[in-house]
Amino acid sequence: MKAYLEKHLTTRWAGRGDICHEEQMDSTNRRAKEMGRSGAPHGSLAVCDVQTAGRGRMQRTWETPAHQALTQTMVLRPQLRLDQAPLITLGAAVASAQAIEDVCPDLHVGIKWPNDGIINGKKVFGILSEMAVVDGKLDFVAPGVGINVNQTSFDGELKEKATSMKLERPAEMGDIDLKALMCAYLTRMEKVVDALEVSGFDGIAQEYLRRSVTLNQKVQVIGAQETFIATAKAIDEEGALIVVDENGTERRVLCGDVSVRGLMGYC
Ligand code: ATP
């Protein structure tokens, strides 16, 4: 992976810092946070072939079958205010969707707010961003992305909910190259983060909004304290979802706090 990236990357900073690639890690997020705390530069990367204890948001687990998925976390030190940090999660969703389409132009990837990749109503990637704050300022953000790439089946609750890039293509097409997908993601992520630094959410708004499967839909907002039905109206400059509930009251839903579901199924 490292040699491939050195040969093929044309980025200025993404994938140019420390690259930690190991066959097995418990969690690329845990490793990236360790790297961040030891001073790894902007654009560093933790990536593995087998992740044994992947996590999603709110203590959920992320299933990663060995050698069939791309599991990686960058270390970013963006010039963003602390309140803009959630934008990295939305940006990583845009970069992941773009990278999938760069490698497989026949696929079309939507985004379920804030950060799930969707193909034909099923989840193709998930993102867990974690961050470190020093003296009230953002020290680093570690967006972890798990992309389902070459899986040919899912079990249990994932059967109805998950898909992979391979499953969404004609059966005769071969396996997708994980290294090429990694390279495409780093290339896209550099552009996304640069744009966020210059313009905030406006820098990615067009790409994010055109892919949104949430906006203008009736959704169920599932929080720790309450669940309610609302219509998704907009996304604000900090990446929060603006909804109007059934009483006509406008409410602001923060990433990290809730899950959003469509009324008829997953999205
Ligand atoms: P959701 O709306 O799916 O609950 P979320 O952002 O709250 O999204 P994540 O943190 O992205 O959830 O991921 C954890 C959830 O994703 C788990 O609860 C599980 O249902 C699902 N999941 C776990 N592994 C996979 C996978 N490989 N592909 C798709 N979905 C997965």
Side-chain angles (χ1 to χ4, degrees), residues 2 12-20 35 40-45:
K2 210 169 166 175
R12 283 179 299 112
W13 56 261
R16 298 289 181 191
D18 301 342
I19 297 184
C20 178
M35 292 165 70
H42 186 51
S44 295
L45 178 71

Side-chain angles (χ1 to χ4, degrees), residues 56-58 60-63 112 115-116 123 126-127 148 157-158 161-162 259-261 266:
R57 302 186 312 151
M58 298 171 256
R60 294 169 181 156
T61 55
W62 184 259
E63 309 284 337
K112 180 169 82 71
N115 59 358
D116 292 324
K123 183 159 164 174
I127 298 176
N148 297 326
E157 57 133 2
L158 293 188
K161 183 177 177 183
S259 291
V260 168
R261 291 276 183 283
Y266 179 57

Side-chain angles (χ1 to χ4, degrees), residues 2 35 41 44 46 66 102 121 124 164 173-175 180 184 196-197 208 235 238-239 241 250 254 264:
K2 210 169 166 175
M35 292 165 70
S44 295
D102 288 342
V124 69
S164 70
M173 297 180 100
D175 272 5
L196 288 174
E197 288 183 335
Y208 188 92
I235 290 164
E238 289 171 13
L241 185 67
E250 190 171 285
L254 296 177
M264 304 302 288

